[in-house]
Amino acid sequence: MEPDVGDSVGGFVLSNPLGEGAFGQVWAARHAVTSQQAAVKFERTDSRHPQLEYEWRVFRMLLGTDGTPWVGHYGVTHRGHHRAMVMQRLSFDLQRVLRACGGRFSPKSVMVLAEQTLGILRGVHDAGFIHRDIKPENFMYGIEALGGTLYLTDY
C-alpha cells in the first residue's frame, strides 16, 4: 500500500507527492500541531538496496554543518510497507534553476554558488564523509523567505 494524502508520519500529515525516483517517493507534509512544513521521503521495506536509514544517520551526524537540512522522525510506517524519513522541505534544485535562467548563470551567481558548494563539501569532508553523487539535482535551495540557502541532499 502506497502513501496517501492524510497519512501521518511522525506527527506530519501528508498533503501531496513532490517527486518519485528509484529510491521511492517524496511527499509534502505539515505538522499536525505546529503547521511546520516538511518533506517525507519513503522507501519500500522490501527494497533490495535500502538506503534511507543510512541517509538519515548521515544527516543526523552532519546536523549543524552548512548545507545540511534538518531531519526528524525515521521509522517504519504504521502500515509496515515503507520506511519514512521526515526532513526539511526544500525547493528547487540547481538543475531546475539553471533551466529557469535560460541555461546560464551570471558570473556573480557562479561565484556565489562556488563559494556555497565548496563550503558545503568542506563540511561534509571534514566530518569524514564523501558524498559520491555530486550533481546539480542534489543541491537544493531552501523554501525560506529569501530562499538563498543551498543544501546538499541524497546521501
Side-chain angles (χ1 to χ4, degrees):
M1 185 170 275
E2 297 301 313
D4 201 6
V5 173
D7 287 354
S8 181
V9 176
F12 288 83
V13 180
L14 303 182
S15 59
N16 59 286
L18 294 172
E20 189 170 340
F23 60 85
Q25 300 176 8
V26 179
W27 281 69
R30 282 196 182 270
H31 194 273
V33 176
T34 67
S35 295
Q36 178 183 19
Q37 292 187 66
V40 181
K41 196 169 185 179
F42 290 94
E43 172 183 76
R44 294 193 53 83
T45 52
D46 62 359
S47 172
R48 289 178 28 182
H49 303 287
Q51 298 176 19
L52 198 58
E53 182 177 6
Y54 173 77
E55 183 175 21
W56 178 77
R57 288 179 187 276
V58 169
F59 279 139
R60 299 287 291 186
M61 287 188 253
L62 291 175
L63 213 57
T65 62
D66 288 344
T68 300
W70 63 261
V71 291
H73 174 82
Y74 170 80
V76 175
T77 60
H78 70 282
R79 294 183 185 142
H81 299 284
H82 293 85
R83 286 178 284 274
M85 174 178 70
V86 176
M87 66 181 292
Q88 182 173 342
R89 172 93 184 264
L90 300 173
S91 182
F92 301 117
D93 65 61
L94 278 183
Q95 186 65 40
R96 186 169 175 181
V97 173
L98 180 62
R99 280 195 305 271
C101 293
R104 293 183 61 123
F105 286 132
S106 71
K108 181 179 179 182
S109 293
V110 171
M111 294 294 289
V112 169
L113 285 171
E115 185 176 2
Q116 288 181 325
T117 55
L118 291 173
I120 291 168
L121 292 173
R122 182 176 34 255
V124 170
H125 292 170
D126 287 351
F129 291 97
I130 297 174
H131 189 280
R132 300 187 311 168
D133 194 19
I134 300 297
K135 59 186 178 184
E137 293 89 341
N138 286 341
F139 284 95
M140 300 184 75
Y141 284 102
I143 61 168
E144 61 270 9
L146 297 177
T149 304
L150 194 63
Y151 297 91
L152 181 58
T153 64
D154 291 340
Y155 280 89

